[in-house]
């Protein structure tokens, strides 16, 4: 099992937020360009909603940021978040112990 250094997982929205700020775009402008609601865009940029393949492709079209890279970052975020879930960790340990006895 991979071990990660204690780093906070990075949501792809953080990267997108920096990108649009560097370009001087507003969230309202990007929402209009992509056809994503302002609320959905704001939720993604603030890490409250996951990126989907569709939204990644929309951001790629609007910003030129690789959708594949964004989806890899989302997957990494999801896995790190799941691994840090203490309830899930206990459940996984219980499963591992049960399987070891077989």
């Amino acid at each position: 099992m991979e071990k990660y250094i204690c780093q906070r997982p990075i949501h792809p929205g953080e990267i997108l937020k920096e990108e649009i700020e560097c370009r001087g775009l507003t969230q309202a402008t990007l929402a209009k360009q992509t056809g994503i609601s302002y609320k959905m865009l704001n939720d993604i940029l603030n890490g409250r909603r996951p990126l989907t393949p569709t939204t990644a492709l929309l951001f790629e079209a609007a910003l030129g940021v690789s959708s594949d890279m964004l989806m890899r970052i989302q997957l990494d975020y999801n896995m790190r978040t799941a691994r840090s879930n203490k309830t899930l960790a206990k459940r996984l340990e219980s499963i591992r112990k049960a399987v070891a006895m077989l």
Side-chain angles (χ1 to χ4, degrees):
M1 174 188 267
E2 290 181 355
K3 297 288 181 187
Y4 287 97
I5 298 171
C6 286
Q7 288 182 323
R8 174 183 68 79
I10 297 173
H11 190 279
E14 292 181 57
I15 293 161
L16 290 166
K17 191 174 192 177
E18 284 182 23
E19 184 66 28
I20 68 169
E21 288 172 359
C22 285
R23 293 178 186 219
L25 289 172
T26 66
Q27 289 184 29
T29 299
L30 184 58
K32 186 175 182 180
Q33 288 175 340
T34 58
I36 298 171
S37 75
Y38 177 85
K39 172 139 179 46
M40 179 189 278
L41 175 62
N42 186 266
D43 284 349
I44 291 169
L45 297 181
N46 289 297
R48 293 186 299 265
R49 184 184 290 243
L51 203 62
T52 66
T54 298
T55 54
L57 288 166
L58 292 170
F59 289 127
E60 181 178 69
L63 302 171
V65 177
S66 166
S67 58
D68 290 341
M69 177 195 70
L70 291 171
M71 290 308 299
R72 283 192 299 275
I73 294 168
Q74 182 67 58
L75 175 61
D76 182 66
Y77 177 85
N78 294 349
M79 295 303 293
R80 285 178 182 233
T81 301
R83 284 188 177 108
S84 68
N85 180 315
K86 291 182 186 342
T87 303
L88 178 59
K90 288 178 185 176
R91 185 174 174 190
L92 294 173
E93 185 59 30
S94 175
I95 292 168
R96 287 183 186 108
K97 285 179 182 177
V99 170
M101 296 177 145
L102 296 178

